[in-house]
Amino acid sequence: MVDVVALGESMVTFLPSRPGRLADVPSFDRAIGGAESNVACVLAAAGHTARWVGRVGADGFGDHLVERIAGYGVDVTSVSRDPDRPTGVYFRTAGDRGTGAHEVAYYRAGSAASAMSVANVDLSAVRAGRVLHLSGITAALSQECGALMRTLTAARPGRPLVSFDVNHRPALWPTAEGPLTLLHLARRADIVFVGEDEAEEAWGITGGPEAIRAALPEPGVLVVKQGGKGATAFERCRPTTNPAAFEPALHVDVVATTGAGDAFAAGFLSGTLRNLPLGARLRLGHLFAAAGLTTPGDLATPPARGHADRLTALDDTAWGRLRLAPGWTQAERATEEANTP
């Protein structure tokens, strides 16, 4: 039994050596990326036991992925190798994902991960965690992956707490069924992460977090990410606790946004595993996301637990004064926190 099991596709990522169009960038540095494995790596770096379950090719890129993810302290013994399909890779530009100049070139069609199925995944290993983290990306990879997701989110005795990040990627869905599939899976999960803009794009829901909760009353916990504004969480919870909480986002000197959503989910799940109050879980999500936002790659080491707990415990005024810049996680009291108590 581990704290968290994350299942999904991880790919080798090629990061540009300088800004510019993909056509103009002369060289790339190799890294790793994948929503679910990112969450597993960040949680392992935060001191939790984590397992990643996936499928990679019997190739050098597959070797690299497994070795790098294991290097974070993640259990990779249930990762399978496909002798006939390759490991997925992708290239991206250095610019922010939110700009029109941002380019991403995926080479994942027919990948080893797209062949994951109920028949070739070790379901006992997948279910042997306190939390099972999934995302909507996996459901889009193939019909077999979709069937696997339905199996893992089905109600059954002894099911782990299912965490589901909607991760709506329109380009991965060739038909209009994608949003309905994501809504169906979200309704079967225990913890759901969804962006406010994402809910509008996928499901046409406007009206803010309360409207999203009204459309998704089933999950025990619903986290609505509101971009630079912050995040709101709803919880069907113990009578003595507040059923909803909002925590504003931090002021961060952003280096790159890729992977910040995964880091936020990891921070919130870390707080969940520690049975922290709802607001503290949201703040941990913001802090872990800030670690990702202040580094160039998809993965960043989160702040040490004591450091994160000190910042999480700040009063609202001090929290609002926080300014986090690159390197803040390496300092016991970073200079960017000089104005906090």
Side-chain angles (χ1 to χ4, degrees):
M1 180 67 69
V2 296
D3 289 334
V4 175
V5 177
L7 176 141
E9 179 172 33
S10 189
M11 294 178 288
V12 173
T13 309
F14 289 94
L15 307 176
S17 56
R18 64 172 175 79
R21 303 183 309 154
L22 287 178
D24 301 327
V25 175
S27 60
F28 297 81
D29 295 320
R30 186 176 62 175
I32 62 174
E36 301 84 3
S37 60
N38 284 350
V39 170
C41 288
V42 174
L43 282 168
H48 298 282
T49 54
R51 171 182 298 140
W52 172 58
V53 179
R55 192 170 178 85
V56 299
D59 50 33
F61 287 148
D63 294 340
H64 177 68
L65 277 175
V66 173
E67 291 167 6
R68 283 291 305 277
I69 293 171
Y72 281 86
V74 176
D75 175 9
V76 295
T77 56
S78 298
V79 177
S80 57
R81 310 299 291 264
D82 192 317
D84 302 314
R85 296 176 179 84
T87 303
V89 302
Y90 74 94
F91 298 76
R92 67 175 175 87
T93 51
D96 191 319
R97 180 176 284 173
T99 69
H102 185 72
E103 299 173 74
V104 182
Y106 288 102
Y107 299 90
R108 73 194 310 176
S111 69
S114 69
M116 286 190 296
S117 70
V118 174
N120 62 26
V121 167
D122 184 348
L123 297 182
S124 61
V126 173
R127 290 169 171 148
R130 294 170 59 192
V131 175
L132 170 59
H133 183 69
L134 307 168
S135 94
I137 294 173
T138 304
L141 297 181
S142 66
Q143 291 184 353
E144 293 78 11
C145 284
L148 174 63
M149 291 287 285
R150 290 191 296 275
T151 296
L152 294 176
T153 56
R156 67 187 301 273
R159 189 184 86 165
L161 199 68
V162 173
S163 165
F164 181 70
D165 193 336
V166 172
N167 260 324
H168 180 226
R169 300 287 188 269
L172 291 178
W173 294 99
T175 68
E177 70 176 295
L180 292 177
T181 298
L182 296 176
L183 187 60
H184 174 69
L185 292 171
R187 285 174 169 160
R188 294 156 64 116
D190 300 298
I191 303 171
V192 172
F193 299 93
V194 64
E196 189 174 24
D197 55 348
E198 192 175 35
E200 181 176 358
E201 181 183 36
W203 305 319
I205 300 173
T206 58
E210 290 76 14
I212 298 171
R213 182 54 163 173
L216 269 174
E218 296 88 354
V221 177
L222 173 67
V223 181
V224 180
K225 297 175 289 184
Q226 299 167 263
K229 182 180 177 181
T232 298
F234 302 89
E235 183 175 32
R236 283 203 316 273
C237 56
R238 295 152 293 201
T240 56
T241 61
N242 194 331
F246 169 79
E247 288 294 338
L250 293 162
H251 300 281
V252 178
D253 293 340
V254 177
V255 174
T257 59
T258 307
D262 304 327
F264 179 93
F268 189 90
L269 291 176
S270 177
T272 299
L273 288 162
R274 296 172 59 198
N275 201 32
L276 298 182
L278 195 57
R281 285 177 260 165
L282 285 172
R283 285 194 172 188
L284 277 181
H286 286 318
L287 288 167
F288 280 39
L293 289 168
T294 51
T295 55
D298 285 21
L299 275 169
T301 301
R305 181 168 294 187
H307 189 181
D309 286 350
R310 178 175 63 78
L311 297 181
T312 298
L314 292 173
D315 62 39
D316 291 346
T317 300
W319 177 264
R321 289 204 304 261
L322 275 178
R323 300 292 188 275
L324 301 178
W328 72 272
T329 59
Q330 280 73 55
E332 177 59 28
R333 182 177 286 275
T335 57
E336 293 77 17
E337 299 171 35
N339 293 326
T340 65

